[in-house]
């Protein structure tokens, strides 16, 4: 009998073979996948597994301190608490954002915006969604932790400003790194939620101040709860930046400005070191580190004095009559005038169909160089500017560094404008008209300068030709006290002018402050001889007394002292202050007084203690030691009724 081991029909055999092949294929695929996971992708899977168990918690480095030239603290750090979220541990993003907004009383969109900044980064990396929370807020979050999966509270150092708003425009402020910065090569080491310098010294010296962040590697359970610290790397504090400014002089400058808008720049005549750098009003830089109250932000934006604008660095003002120093120097160097040259001023000068008026409508009469500076006669400089031409005036202005940034080392420094025929053709496509030169001669028309430039200009006159680059930083020191950078004075150039030119101009500037009818009498100090020049620059044509604030003239004053051996130069701009002699000169006097009091040249008034009643004492100023106001001069009387241009 013959047995057939195969099914009786061909279809059954084919099914068995097909099933066998299918099983083999499935088995092959499983083996291949196992090989891929165990061999090819083993490292990646191991990393993912570790990441589920191990977390890296960054530890922000404290920023370096900022000190004044004498080592007094301007900016340091203080602890602060931040709220960070680990996206990987968040089950319901929308619900968590709602909860955080409610618990912290924050705008929901604000939290979401910060969250979105971290897109593209590892999901286990913490994202800071709120900074500067209070202790009460922190405790409230801890109490509600069950509804806040993925939320961690971190301690981060934040900036502390030792003197409040003082020098805020110079020091700058911090802000969270934005998306554009995060994507740039410069900030590739930063993470979402990190703070960086946004302006001023904080911005310019970010790489030195920032320090090196550390971190902790921690182990967590499946629910993301902390188990233990596996490894830890300490953070390194940033370097200390010591500035050239003097804290006491900075205070004096800002106090002298009071509520007035404008700028004060004080410079060492012989080194270029900036001793005071004030833009008034200040703002509170601490508010930018945390959460700016909407009302405060609105006040800043609506304040017509523009507190957020760095006027010392970016403010460009017509220099007014302070520019007559340049016109006088050009006239002397070109041989168009000398010590004895005189001009008749009858209150105006007719040029073509236009009439250019002097601020003294009655006229100054016969005016020589010394008197033209002392009393700031406009007609003298109209006629001199006409003979010089705009290009020759510009050439001498540029010898003093005007018309270009001075290289002070802060971002966005403005360069001002020194017009020429070519400049106008390029700027407006139109030729220069001779009548446009006359206003240039008195610092009006197209001429614009910054307070930093004005300080440098008068410092260069004081030292007779050396142009020092304005310097804000003396040195950078690491945490161990090692000096990383030391800065010495940089001579940017020399004017190459004749000593006789400086002698004549400086004598005129001395007369401005110290002689009868001098327009700068209110800058006078009895203990130290001061030389200077007033300026008032028009904001609108035909300005009049009583005009709205924004249309009033700017008031300016530039000065140096001591006259015999200059040490310090000061430039003051009072926006819409109207008259340089009455608004800007007194500010200069207070700054100079503070400087020489600090050096012991002028004695500070010592309060007398007189017993009022037994066991009780009151203090009153020592009136003999206190400075006396300078006597009124004819020029002082003139300032109240006329505008020094």
């Amino acid at each position: 009998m013959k047995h057939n081991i195969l099914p009786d029909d061909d279809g059954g055999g084919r099914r068995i073979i097909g099933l066998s092949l299918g099983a083999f294929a499935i088995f092959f695929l499983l083996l291949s996948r196992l090989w891929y996971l165990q061999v090819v992708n083993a490292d990646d899977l191991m990393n993912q597994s570790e990441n589920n168990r191990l977390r890296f918690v960054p530890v922000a480095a404290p920023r370096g301190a900022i000190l004044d030239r004498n080592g007094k603290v301007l900016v340091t750090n203080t602890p602060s608490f931040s709220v960070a979220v680990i996206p990987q541990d968040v089950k319901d993003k929308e619900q968590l954002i709602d909860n955080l907004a409610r618990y912290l009383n924050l705008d929901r969109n604000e939290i979401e915006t910060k969250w979105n900044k971290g897109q593209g980064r590892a999901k286990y990396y913490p994202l800071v969604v709120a900074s500067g929370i209070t202790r009460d807020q922190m405790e409230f979050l801890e109490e509600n932790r069950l509804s806040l999966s993925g939320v961690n509270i971190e301690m981060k150092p934040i900036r502390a400003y030792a003197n409040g708003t003082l020098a805020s425009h110079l020091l700058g402020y911090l802000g969270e790194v934005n998306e554009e910065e995060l994507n740039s090569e410069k900030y590739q080491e930063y993470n979402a939620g990190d703070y960086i310098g946004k302006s001023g010294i904080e911005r310019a010296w970010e790489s030195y101040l920032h320090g090196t962040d550390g971190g902790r590697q921690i182990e967590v359970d499946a629910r993301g709860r902390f188990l233990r610290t596996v490894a830890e790397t300490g953070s390194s504090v940033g370097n200390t930046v010591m500035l050239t400014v003097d804290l006491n002089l900075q205070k004096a400058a800002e106090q002298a400005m009071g509520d007035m808008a404008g700028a004060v720049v004080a410079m060492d005549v012989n080194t270029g070191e900036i001793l005071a750098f004030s833009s008034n009003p200040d703002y509170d830089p601490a508010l930018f580190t945390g959460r700016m109250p909407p009302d405060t932000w609105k006040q800043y934006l609506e304040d017509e004095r523009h507190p957020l604008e760095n006027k010392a660095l970016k403010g460009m003002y017509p220099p007014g009559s302070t520019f007559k120093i340049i016109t006088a120097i050009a006239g002397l160097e070109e041989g168009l005038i000398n010590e004895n040259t005189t001009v008749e001023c009858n209150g105006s000068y007719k040029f073509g169909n236009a009439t250019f008026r002097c601020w003294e409508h009655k006229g100054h009469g016969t005016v020589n160089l010394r008197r033209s500076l002392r009393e700031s006669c406009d007609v003298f400089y109209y006629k001199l500017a006409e003979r010089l031409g705009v290009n020759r005036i510009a050439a001498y202005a540029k010898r003093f560094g005007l018309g270009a940034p001075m290289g002070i080392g802060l971002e966005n420094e403005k360069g001002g404008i020194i017009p020429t025929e070519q400049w106008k053709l390029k700027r407006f496509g139109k030729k220069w008209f001779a009548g446009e030169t006359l206003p240039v001669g008195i610092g009006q028309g197209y001429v614009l300068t910054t307070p930093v430039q004005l300080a440098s200009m008068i410092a260069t006159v004081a030292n007779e030709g050396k142009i020092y680059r304005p310097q804000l930083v003396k040195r950078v020191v690491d945490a161990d006290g090692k000096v990383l950078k030391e800065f010495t004075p940089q001579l940017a150039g020399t004017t190459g002018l004749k000593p006789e030119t400086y002698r004549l101009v400086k004598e005129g500037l001395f007369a401005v402050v110290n002689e009868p009818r001098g327009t700068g009498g209110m800058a006078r100090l009895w203990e130290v001889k001061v030389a200077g020049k007033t300026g008032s620059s028009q904001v609108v044509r035909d300005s009049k007394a009583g005009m709205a604030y924004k249309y009033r003239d700017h008031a300016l004053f530039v000065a140096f002292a001591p006259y015999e051996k200059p040490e310090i130069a000061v430039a003051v701009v009072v926006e819409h202050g109207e008259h340089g002699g009455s608004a800007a000169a007194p500010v200069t006097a207070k700054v100079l007084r503070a400087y020489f009091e600090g050096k012991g040249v002028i004695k500070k008034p010592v309060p007398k203690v007189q017993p009022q009643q037994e066991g009780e004492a009151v203090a009153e100023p020592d009136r003999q030691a206190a400075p006396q106001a300078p006597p009124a001069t004819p020029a002082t009387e003139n300032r109240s009724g006329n505008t020094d241009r």
Side-chain angles (χ1 to χ4, degrees):
M1 184 176 179
K2 187 177 180 181
H3 297 284
N4 189 356
I5 61 173
L6 294 176
D8 295 338
D9 57 83
D10 293 343
R14 285 196 294 271
R15 280 198 297 275
I16 291 174
I17 294 172
L19 287 172
S20 299
L21 290 174
F24 177 78
I26 292 171
F27 186 68
F28 178 78
L29 289 174
L30 288 173
L31 280 177
S32 299
R33 180 62 178 166
L34 186 62
W35 174 80
Y36 175 77
L37 294 175
Q38 294 283 350
V39 179
V40 177
N41 207 29
D43 292 342
D44 289 345
L45 292 175
M46 179 64 76
N47 289 336
Q48 289 181 29
S49 175
E50 288 296 307
N51 287 335
N52 285 335
R53 186 170 62 86
L54 300 178
R55 297 279 167 74
F56 180 76
V57 179
V59 176
R63 289 177 74 84
I66 303 176
L67 311 178
D68 87 333
R69 65 185 296 115
N70 299 310
K72 295 178 181 176
V73 175
L74 299 173
V75 187
T76 184
N77 304 296
T78 188
S80 174
F81 295 99
S82 301
V83 179
V85 173
I86 299 176
Q88 182 175 274
D89 294 340
V90 176
K91 296 176 181 176
D92 187 336
K93 172 187 170 185
E94 300 302 322
Q95 183 61 51
L96 179 62
I97 293 178
D98 286 341
N99 289 342
L100 286 175
R102 187 168 66 257
Y103 295 157
L104 298 175
N105 193 26
L106 295 177
D107 182 66
R108 190 187 189 285
N109 293 331
E110 184 181 334
I111 297 176
E112 190 161 20
T113 300
K114 291 183 177 180
W115 188 307
N116 291 336
K117 278 185 184 177
Q119 287 184 346
R121 306 235 160 190
K123 290 188 175 181
Y124 56 82
Y125 210 89
L127 300 174
V128 176
V129 295
S131 301
I133 65 170
T134 64
R135 183 169 291 276
D136 289 343
Q137 288 175 316
M138 183 180 65
E139 292 175 354
F140 193 72
L141 292 181
E142 291 291 350
E143 291 170 3
N144 294 275
R145 179 162 285 283
L146 290 177
S147 62
L148 298 171
S149 62
V151 171
N152 287 327
I153 297 174
E154 300 177 350
M155 196 283 285
K156 280 190 171 184
I158 61 171
R159 281 315 219 188
Y161 300 90
N163 302 281
T165 63
L166 187 84
S168 58
H169 290 279
L170 168 63
L171 300 174
Y173 65 92
L174 302 185
E176 281 191 22
V177 61
N178 60 39
E179 195 165 347
E180 181 181 352
E181 289 163 337
L182 274 176
N183 294 327
S184 69
E185 185 177 350
K186 183 177 180 181
Y187 298 101
Q188 59 181 348
E189 301 296 326
Y190 291 69
N191 295 293
D194 284 352
Y195 278 80
I196 62 171
K198 292 289 187 178
S199 69
I201 293 294
E202 295 277 21
R203 179 77 172 186
W205 292 87
E206 168 66 25
S207 60
Y208 288 89
L209 289 167
H210 181 71
T212 304
D213 291 344
R216 289 187 301 137
Q217 194 173 33
I218 63 171
E219 185 179 0
V220 297
D221 63 14
R223 298 177 64 179
R225 292 175 298 194
F226 173 80
L227 295 177
R228 68 186 177 98
T229 299
V230 177
E232 187 168 0
T233 303
S235 58
S236 301
V237 64
N239 302 302
T240 296
V241 175
M242 176 176 281
L243 304 183
T244 59
V245 298
D246 181 291
L247 175 59
N248 292 334
L249 200 63
Q250 184 75 25
K251 286 181 178 176
E254 299 199 10
Q255 289 170 359
M257 287 293 288
D259 293 332
M260 297 185 296
V264 179
V265 177
M267 176 185 288
D268 187 315
V269 165
N270 301 302
T271 65
E273 291 182 348
I274 299 295
L275 303 173
F277 185 95
S278 169
S279 177
N280 218 47
D282 283 311
Y283 61 85
D284 187 353
L287 295 176
F288 288 84
T289 306
R291 185 164 176 258
M292 174 76 74
D295 290 346
T296 304
W297 181 247
K298 187 169 182 285
Q299 287 175 10
Y300 282 152
L301 294 181
E302 293 180 351
D303 192 332
E304 62 182 350
R305 300 172 303 160
H306 305 293
L308 298 178
E309 179 186 353
N310 188 338
K311 301 175 178 68
L313 184 73
K314 304 176 188 176
M316 298 200 297
Y317 306 90
S321 293
T322 64
F323 194 75
K324 289 172 182 172
I325 295 171
I326 298 295
T327 310
I329 286 173
L332 290 166
E333 286 289 312
E334 292 294 318
L336 300 180
I337 59 172
N338 57 40
E339 189 174 6
N340 302 314
T341 303
T342 58
V343 165
E344 281 298 313
C345 171
N346 60 7
S348 64
Y349 178 57
K350 193 172 180 58
F351 182 85
N353 296 325
T355 300
F356 295 86
R357 301 190 181 281
C358 183
W359 70 267
E360 178 56 272
H361 295 172
K362 295 181 296 186
H364 287 93
T366 303
V367 178
N368 60 11
L369 174 64
R370 185 185 183 95
R371 189 179 175 193
S372 74
L373 289 169
R374 184 183 70 197
E375 300 173 29
S376 202
C377 174
D378 291 333
V379 170
F380 185 94
Y381 291 94
Y382 289 144
K383 293 184 177 181
L384 179 56
E386 178 189 355
R387 297 176 66 191
L388 283 165
V390 68
N391 291 340
R392 280 202 287 187
I393 296 174
Y396 284 95
K398 290 178 180 178
R399 286 197 190 194
F400 284 79
L402 303 181
M406 302 295 297
I408 197 170
L410 299 179
E411 285 190 353
N412 302 317
E413 181 189 359
K414 297 294 184 183
I417 295 174
I418 298 298
T420 61
E421 293 177 0
Q422 187 180 11
W423 170 85
K424 186 186 175 187
L425 192 62
K426 183 178 180 181
R427 176 70 175 80
F428 299 107
K430 297 178 180 178
K431 69 175 185 178
W432 186 269
F433 296 104
E436 294 175 306
T437 302
L438 276 63
V440 170
I442 62 166
Q444 292 279 175
Y446 296 111
V447 183
L448 293 174
T449 55
T450 67
V452 172
Q453 290 176 331
L454 290 175
S456 175
M457 178 191 76
I458 194 65
T460 303
V461 172
N463 68 34
E464 301 190 0
K466 295 178 181 176
I467 306 170
Y468 287 102
R469 193 175 306 285
Q471 181 184 338
L472 280 171
V473 177
K474 285 184 79 70
R475 67 180 66 94
V476 180
V477 182
D478 70 10
D480 297 324
K482 179 184 176 184
V483 177
L484 303 179
K485 280 182 174 287
E486 183 88 40
F487 296 92
T488 55
Q490 291 186 50
L491 189 63
T494 56
T495 57
L497 306 182
K498 293 176 283 195
E500 178 68 2
T501 296
Y502 283 117
R503 183 185 71 81
L504 294 174
V505 170
K506 290 171 77 170
E507 286 180 358
L509 300 182
F510 179 80
V512 169
V513 178
N514 299 282
E515 292 185 358
R517 301 194 65 82
T519 56
M522 296 190 77
R524 190 182 311 167
L525 300 177
W526 298 113
E527 302 88 343
V528 178
K529 291 180 180 178
V530 178
K533 183 70 192 79
T534 53
S536 301
S537 58
Q538 287 184 319
V539 175
V540 296
R541 185 184 293 272
D542 298 328
S543 59
K544 298 175 182 176
M547 296 182 77
Y549 171 79
K550 64 181 180 181
Y551 299 126
R552 298 174 193 167
D553 294 348
H554 296 316
L556 304 96
F557 196 77
V558 295
F560 65 86
Y563 175 71
E564 304 90 340
K565 192 175 181 181
E567 298 177 15
I568 179 174
V570 180
V572 175
V573 176
V574 179
E575 288 187 347
H576 313 295
E578 298 190 291
H579 310 301
S582 57
V587 173
T588 306
K590 292 177 181 176
V591 175
L592 292 174
R593 174 168 293 284
Y595 174 81
F596 289 109
E597 282 181 351
K599 293 180 69 72
V601 176
I602 298 178
K603 292 183 179 179
K604 294 182 181 180
V606 179
K608 279 185 177 178
V609 179
Q610 296 180 342
Q612 188 177 34
Q613 295 178 359
E614 187 176 354
E616 182 181 0
V618 294
E620 72 173 22
D622 182 347
R623 300 190 185 285
Q624 290 185 342
Q628 302 295 309
T633 64
T636 303
E637 295 168 359
N638 286 340
R639 285 194 298 277
S640 64
N642 299 292
T643 300
D644 164 25
R645 306 226 180 266

